[in-house]
Amino acid sequence: MNDWPEGRNGGPGERYGQGSANPQPESARAMPHVRRRPAQPQGAPQAPPRIPPQGQGYADDGYDSGYNTGQVYGGGNGGGQGGGGYGGDGYGDRGYVQGRPTPNWGRRIKVGVLTLVVVLVAVSIGTYFWADGKLKREVDLSKVIERPSEGDGTNYLIVGSDSREGMTAEDKKKLHTGSAEGKRTDSMMILHDGSNGPTLISLPRDSNVEIPTFVGSESGKTFKGTGRTVKLNAAYAEDGPELLVRTVEFNTGLRIDHYVEIGFGGFAKIVDAIGGVELDIPKAFKDKKSGADFQAGKQTLNGEQSLAFVRTRYAFAGSDLDRTKNQQKFLAALASQTATPSTILNPFKLYPTMGAGLDTLIVDKDMSLWSLGKMFFAMKGVTGGEGTSMNIPISGSTGGNLVWDKAKVKQLVEQLKNDEKVTVKGN
């Protein structure tokens, strides 16, 4: 007996889903909707079969073809006709690929850029505090008395000392520094940074200057001036940076805003950290005391050679005056070659360079990293043609000491105070 209702496609052997006997998986198909014919009274005449129009199923008031149009379960990528199936739901148009959402690249780029900015800000802040903590703010300019009035621009007193602090016996031998105790100034320069470009002025260590009244940096005791004249580097040896600043201000009339000092060892380390400094040496020279031995022409100097270059004076006819010119030339080249993208953007060069420099720098208590950076770039501007470098004007000597040309020095200081273009010529 056949229990399958009339109008159902297939027979008893064609169960829905085809069971496990079918080797091919059944594709999505329409769910059947079955309706039975209403029961006919016994003995009533049977209605003749109705032939449906082409393309339509058997359907009349009492019969359904067995398919629910449009109600499709699983319609492939495009969905069933009529838009009623899952495929016609529009998932293919909603950014889904193989069941997963397609990447939103615009959002990812924004998140990536924001993350990069946050990382850069964090690194910059961390670097600032790291570098700021390395500065040795040991010079108290508030101890300097009877100071000149402030002018326009910023004036830095840059000092290269012969300090051997932190150097081993092997370092001292290698760098030809000797083993003298204490420290003295090997070079002194005033760097003026103003609106008319930077001006770098060397103060020869053998300059004849007067020691004025001053207050001892350690004792706090006042020492009255007696008109005593000495070489400029003796002021530093007598009572350190504060007396040196006091002596420079008294003899020039120019107020010093910031003090920066670096020793032998630190100087050599900075040069080595950036991979050396390229210089064009116009004439060969040799000096046993400093260890200098240079041929003429362009060459890259390492830390040891650089220190020998800036310390040499006995090989030159102009002695200390010629040495100060070489010091200016070298420091400007050092600044120019350090402030480059290859150093600033390369952490493997930037951090060793900053570490080598900041570890050995001694500055005044009011010096900020911002001011130090401005000084550095002003120094670079001297070689870039934006500024002027010169020795302080000299009128003669006392035999061993160099005498400043007071009239020219006064004119020079007035131009610096008023931040005017420097027209005074030095030696």
Side-chain angles (χ1 to χ4, degrees), residues 265-281:
F267 181 83
K269 287 179 181 178
I270 292 175
V271 174
D272 286 335
I274 66 169
V277 174
E278 185 180 68
L279 275 185
D280 187 0
I281 300 177

Side-chain angles (χ1 to χ4, degrees), residues 59-99:
D60 56 19
D61 292 338
Y63 181 76
D64 193 297
S65 65
Y67 289 88
N68 186 357
T69 58
Q71 302 300 320
V72 181
Y73 294 80
N77 290 338
Q81 292 181 356
Y86 283 104
D89 184 39
Y91 278 79
D93 297 328
R94 292 185 182 179
Y96 282 76
V97 177
Q98 296 182 353

Side-chain angles (χ1 to χ4, degrees), residues 110 245 284 321 388 394:
K110 289 179 182 178
V245 171
L321 289 177
T388 303
I394 302 295

Side-chain angles (χ1 to χ4, degrees), residues 160-354:
S161 75
D162 63 0
S163 171
R164 293 141 176 98
E165 183 179 352
M167 296 175 64
T168 64
E170 183 179 351
D171 291 335
K172 294 174 184 177
K173 182 178 180 181
K174 177 182 177 182
L175 298 176
H176 302 273
T177 64
S179 300
E181 296 297 325
K183 59 180 182 179
R184 286 153 291 279
T185 51
D186 218 45
S187 61
M188 290 156 284
M189 303 178 188
I190 294 174
L191 174 65
H192 174 82
D193 184 21
S195 58
N196 277 292
T199 302
L200 185 62
I201 306 162
S202 286
L203 309 176
R205 56 177 284 177
D206 294 340
S207 297
N208 193 67
V209 294
E210 180 181 340
I211 298 294
T213 299
F214 69 96
V215 174
S217 59
E218 296 295 333
S219 65
K221 181 181 177 181
T222 299
F223 296 88
K224 291 291 185 180
T226 60
R228 175 169 58 102
T229 59
V230 296
K231 291 182 178 182
L232 181 58
N233 66 337
Y236 182 95
E238 188 171 327
D239 198 52
E242 288 84 1
L243 179 56
L244 178 61
V245 171
R246 168 71 174 131
T247 303
V248 169
E249 288 187 342
F250 178 82
N251 285 270
T252 62
L254 184 69
R255 186 184 181 96
I256 300 300
D257 299 298
H258 291 294
Y259 177 92
V260 181
E261 176 186 328
I262 188 168
F264 282 164
F267 181 83
K269 287 179 181 178
I270 292 175
V271 174
D272 286 335
I274 66 169
V277 174
E278 185 180 68
L279 275 185
D280 187 0
I281 300 177
K283 185 179 180 180
F285 65 90
K286 191 173 183 178
D287 180 26
K288 289 184 178 180
K289 290 192 174 182
S290 68
D293 186 3
F294 296 103
Q295 300 298 315
K298 285 187 178 182
Q299 49 206 287
T300 300
L301 278 57
N302 61 24
E304 178 185 350
Q305 293 169 324
S306 299
L307 189 58
F309 180 82
V310 299
R311 294 183 62 220
T312 298
R313 63 170 174 165
Y314 295 105
F316 307 127
S319 188
D320 204 31
L321 289 177
D322 285 342
R323 177 170 68 168
T324 55
K325 292 176 182 178
N326 279 345
Q327 291 171 347
Q328 289 178 350
K329 179 178 180 179
F330 183 87
L331 289 178
L334 173 63
S336 179
Q337 293 173 38
T338 303
T340 61
S342 63
T343 298
I344 296 175
L345 299 179
N346 183 353
F348 297 103
K349 289 186 69 174
L350 176 63
Y351 285 96
T353 302
M354 291 180 66

